[in-house]
Amino acid sequence: EAGVAQSPRYKIIEKRQSVAFWCNPISGHATLYWYQQILGQGPKLLIQFQNNGVVDDSQLPKDRFSAERLKGVDSTLKIQPAKLEDSAVYLCASSLTDNAYEQYFGPGTRLTVT
Amino acid sequence: KQEVTQIPAALSVPEGENLVLNCSFTDSAIYNLQWFRQDPGKGLTSLLLIQSSQREQTSGRLNASLDKSSGRSTLYIAASQPGDSATYLCAPSGNTPLVFGKGTRLSVIA
């Protein structure tokens, strides 16, 4: 069974530029999560999708971050414009249905904003 | 709001030692708790998942326990090896998805 796929693996941009990350969850997993992990911290949830609907986006900085999950499968996370403090690893995870099920993580995208 | 604390923040042990990593959480209304391993520059690898109705879960040299009422979980690693060196994260999941602690950075010295 293929795991959670993410791309790109690394990205370096200048502040005020825009960037997009892509995630493909495990086949058949209805729930998809995006986390932000700043160096030395644990991951923090940004947004949770159930199929193509948003369940929780309370910690997503909506003035600059956006995410979508078209057709309930792949998802993209966008930052526009980026700030220096957005430098982090962005992790995508998926689970079978909801929070009661095990989450599986992708390898992450390391973003550096200069 | 769920808060997770992991103690110690860092740990260095000689190869072969048994060790315990501690995790405490403030909201006991959880579905389950997961322990993860993270190698530098890598994503998270799930080690163990304990359902709220379970007291412990074992996988190889790893044993995780859960005391939901007191908001505590421990990860026991037997006969540690240099390959166990990594950051270990615990995360309970309830109405709010996984909430992570800062992790325990483990170094096993050969």
Side-chain angles (χ1 to χ4, degrees), chain A residues 9-10 33 35 37 40-45 48 56 59 89 91 98-108 110, chain B residues 1 31-32 34 36 38 40-44 46-49 51 89 93-103:
Chain A
R9 292 295 312 278
Y10 306 93
Y33 312 80
Y35 292 85
Q37 186 177 23
Q41 305 286 320
K44 180 187 79 172
L45 179 73
Q48 175 186 358
D56 184 348
Q59 298 191 93
V89 176
L91 295 161
D98 55 30
N99 299 343
Y101 288 82
E102 186 169 3
Q103 287 191 31
Y104 298 86
F105 282 75
R110 181 177 297 278
Chain B
K1 176 185 173 185
Y31 299 127
N32 58 55
Q34 280 188 254
F36 294 89
Q38 187 171 34
K42 305 287 187 181
L44 276 65
S46 181
L47 297 173
L48 290 164
L49 179 144
Q51 298 292 352
L89 296 151
S93 181
N95 287 328
T96 305
L98 297 179
V99 177
F100 287 85
K102 292 185 178 180

